[in-house]
Amino acid sequence: MRGTRQAEALVAALADLPGFRSAQEIHAELRRRGERVGLATVYRHLQVLSEEGSVDTIRDASGETLYRQCETSAHHHHLTCRKCGRSVEVEGRAVEQWARRVARDAGFTELDHTVELFGLCPQCARA
Ligand SMILES: [Zn+2]
Ligand SMILES: [Zn+2]
Ligand SMILES: [Zn+2]
């Protein structure tokens, strides 16, 4: 993204948006705030932030990448509402143990994994 001011505006918008958001939604929020920035630029910048590890990404059911500024940089998982995008960070101790065990049994090293949970949050389930 050209200029640090635009980059800062993007980070500020991300911090204010609850839950995981698509690049289009983040772009719309920036436009709403009067930022004159193109969608391609937003995509590029989100890519850089995610490579730096300053934002967390997940893929929704349709395969679209969603972004969020996470509360922790430590390894964690998400429980995300597929309707409103609200998300909570969860630990998965049983998952971590299972992943280590199956990898070790198969002789794999340098293990990494992604586990994301999607459902309806209590508010959306009630509506
Ligand atoms: Zn997170
Ligand atoms: Zn919801
Ligand atoms: Zn894990």
Side-chain angles (χ1 to χ4, degrees), residues 20 55-58 68-74 76-78 87-90 116:
F20 280 91
V55 297
D56 224 21
T57 62
I58 59 170
R68 157 175 155 153
Q69 203 172 49
C70 274
E71 281 140 38
T72 169
S73 57
H76 61 278
H77 298 276
H78 302 102
S87 172
V88 291
E89 306 197 330
V90 292
E116 305 297 353

Side-chain angles (χ1 to χ4, degrees), residues 80-87 119-125:
T80 302
C81 178
R82 68 167 66 90
K83 200 163 176 201
C84 69
R86 197 194 321 272
S87 172
L120 280 182
C121 73
Q123 283 90 330
C124 291

Side-chain angles (χ1 to χ4, degrees), residues 90-107:
V90 292
E91 277 183 52
R93 242 166 250 186
V95 173
E96 312 307 327
Q97 282 166 5
W98 167 83
R100 268 198 298 274
R101 196 180 63 237
V102 294
R104 192 187 54 222
D105 290 353

Side-chain angles (χ1 to χ4, degrees), residues 18-99:
F20 280 91
R21 299 288 155 176
S22 68
Q24 283 96 328
E25 287 174 308
I26 295 160
H27 179 239
E29 175 65 19
L30 284 167
R31 300 294 295 226
R32 204 183 57 74
R33 294 172 179 216
E35 296 294 331
R36 297 153 70 87
V37 54
L39 182 58
T41 311
V42 170
Y43 267 115
R44 248 196 332 271
H45 201 69
L46 285 169
Q47 180 76 34
V48 171
L49 286 172
S50 112
E51 277 163 13
E52 285 174 1
S54 12
V55 297
D56 224 21
T57 62
I58 59 170
R59 276 173 190 262
D60 70 6
S62 70
E64 173 159 33
T65 304
L66 306 178
Y67 304 86
R68 157 175 155 153
Q69 203 172 49
C70 274
E71 281 140 38
T72 169
S73 57
H75 177 79
H76 61 278
H77 298 276
H78 302 102
L79 181 53
T80 302
C81 178
R82 68 167 66 90
K83 200 163 176 201
C84 69
R86 197 194 321 272
S87 172
V88 291
E89 306 197 330
V90 292
E91 277 183 52
R93 242 166 250 186
V95 173
E96 312 307 327
Q97 282 166 5
W98 167 83

